[in-house]
Amino acid sequence: MMERLILSVDGGGSKTCFLVAAPDGSPRYHAEAGATSHKSVGRRKASANLHEGLCALKQQGLDRKSLMVSVFGLSGCDTPADRVFQMELLRKEGFREDNTILCNDAVLALYAQCLPPGIVVVAGTGCICVGIDENGQMHRVGGWGYDYSDLGGGQWMGAAVLSQALLYCDGCRSYDPVFDAVMASAGVCDTKELRWWAADIKDQTTVAALARTVFETDSPLAGELLEKGAGLVALQAAGLLKAIRNEGQGDYRVVLAGGLFHSEAYHRAVVSQLCRMGGVPPADIVKLAHPPVEGGIRLGAQFLSKQKDAR
C-alpha cells in the first residue's frame, strides 16, 4: 500500500525548504531551493526555484500520488492578487485547490512551535507579525512591502546602514566603523566603488544581507540602528497583541522566528521592548526551536484530522 504523506513548503525571501513527512511528523524527503517570494526575486525566478525544489523531491523518489495534502507557506502571500498568482503557479505544477493549503510563510513558523492561539514575529529578509486567536481567526501586522513596511527586518536594517554609509561616501556625515563592515560585505575597497555597487543592486536579498554588519559591529551607529529596528518590531508585535486580545484579557505565546533573531543582541532588545510595550511576561516569549517547514506538516495533519471529523 502506498504511504500517505504531507508536503510542506516554507518559501522565504532568501531560500525555500521542502519537506515531505508522514502525518506523525516522520520525515521522508527533504530539499532546498532559492527564494520563492516573487516580491524578492521576481515572478520568473520564484517560479523556477519552486520547480527546482519539487523536481529534487521527485528525483529522491517521491510519488506525488501519495500526497494527501500539500501546504505552501510562501512569503509574499499578502493580498488576493498574490494568492491568485501563487495558486496559478501551484496549479501549473499539478496541485489541486481542494487538497492544497496556501498561506503566508509566517503561519508555518507559529505551527512549528505551538498550536494556536498565539502570535509569531518573523524577522528575516522582511518583518511580519501574524496571530491566530482563540476562534481560529488570523490577524496580521506588517509585511506589506519592503520599502515602506517590514519595519525592523533585514531589508530595513540593511537599507538603513547602507543609506548612512552612502551619506558618508558623499561627504555628508561623519565616519562610523560599521561602514568598513558594509564595504567588506559588498566586496569593495573604497567609497567610490561602494556607490557604484549600491547603484547596481538588483534585489532585496542583497540589501538584507547587510543587516549582519549592524549585528557584528560594535559602534555607535550600529547600536543605534539595532535598538531602533528592535523597537519597530516590538511596536508591531504589541499592536497585534492589542488587536487579538479579547477586551484586553488572555495571554498569548509569542514566538520569535527568522534569521535576525540569531543575533543575541537583537533578540534581547526585541524581548525587552516587547515586554514593556505589550505587557508580555518574558516567559511567554520563546525563540523558534524547530524549522518552520515542520509547521506545515502540523498544519497539514490538523487539516486532515478536521477533514476526517467532518465525514
Side-chain angles (χ1 to χ4, degrees):
M1 178 182 291
M2 183 178 295
E3 187 175 21
R4 293 154 59 85
L5 300 172
I6 299 170
L7 167 65
S8 173
V9 178
D10 174 29
S14 301
K15 67 176 182 179
T16 301
C17 295
F18 300 75
L19 175 64
V20 177
D24 65 0
S26 303
R28 296 294 184 268
Y29 307 99
H30 180 268
E32 288 193 3
T36 46
S37 170
H38 60 290
K39 295 180 179 178
S40 293
V41 296
R43 292 188 171 194
R44 181 176 297 180
K45 193 169 183 180
S47 176
N49 288 339
L50 177 66
H51 183 73
E52 177 188 331
L54 293 171
C55 286
L57 295 176
K58 183 178 179 180
Q59 290 171 359
Q60 292 174 35
L62 172 66
D63 184 345
R64 291 266 288 271
K65 293 178 182 178
S66 66
L67 297 179
M68 297 181 291
V69 61
S70 299
V71 180
F72 291 85
L74 302 181
S75 175
C77 185
D78 303 320
T79 68
D82 293 328
R83 288 188 63 86
V84 169
F85 163 70
Q86 291 175 329
M87 199 64 233
E88 180 59 28
L89 198 64
L90 298 180
R91 276 194 290 267
K92 289 179 180 178
E93 291 289 348
F95 294 93
R96 307 190 319 270
E97 289 191 52
D98 62 337
N99 67 343
T100 298
I101 299 173
L102 173 61
C103 59
N104 189 279
D105 60 331
V107 176
L108 269 58
L110 176 60
Y111 273 86
Q113 189 66 34
C114 62
L115 293 175
I119 80 167
V120 60
V121 180
V122 181
T125 304
C127 179
I128 181 175
C129 303
V130 170
I132 299 178
D133 65 23
E134 294 169 347
N135 298 317
Q137 295 297 309
M138 192 175 83
H139 305 259
R140 170 177 171 170
V141 170
W144 302 115
Y146 290 125
D147 294 333
Y148 33 80
S149 187
D150 291 270
L151 303 177
Q155 195 278 343
W156 179 92
M157 193 80 69
V161 71
L162 180 58
S163 66
Q164 292 300 310
L166 292 172
L167 284 174
Y168 168 69
C169 292
D170 289 336
C172 299
R173 67 149 291 154
S174 59
Y175 168 79
D176 186 277
V178 75
F179 301 150
D180 292 333
V182 170
M183 286 194 284
S185 180
V188 301
C189 299
D190 56 41
T191 57
K192 181 185 292 185
E193 289 184 356
L194 182 63
R195 284 178 285 195
W196 293 343
W197 177 84
D200 200 40
I201 291 175
K202 296 294 191 298
D203 60 66
Q204 303 291 353
T205 56
T206 301
V207 178
L210 295 175
R212 73 174 186 272
T213 67
V214 174
F215 302 143
E216 296 173 356
T217 305
D218 182 11
S219 77
L221 178 59
E224 177 187 327
L225 292 177
L226 187 149
E227 288 294 329
K228 185 176 181 180
L232 290 169
V233 172
L235 176 68
Q236 295 170 90
L240 177 61
L241 280 168
K242 182 179 179 180
I244 67 175
R245 281 172 172 155
N246 182 21
E247 297 180 355
Q249 302 300 313
D251 294 325
Y252 286 81
R253 179 67 60 88
V254 179
V255 179
L256 305 180
L260 267 61
F261 288 113
H262 293 160
S263 164
E264 288 301 321
Y266 183 83
H267 175 260
R268 287 195 302 270
V270 170
V271 170
S272 174
Q273 298 195 51
L274 181 54
C275 290
R276 177 172 56 82
M277 294 183 193
V280 183
D284 286 346
I285 305 174
V286 298
K287 190 184 292 188
L288 182 65
H290 307 280
V293 71
E294 293 182 4
I297 301 299
R298 297 184 74 181
L299 179 54
Q302 184 184 75
F303 170 83
L304 293 173
S305 177
K306 290 181 179 178
Q307 196 177 59
K308 182 179 179 180
D309 291 342
R311 290 172 184 165

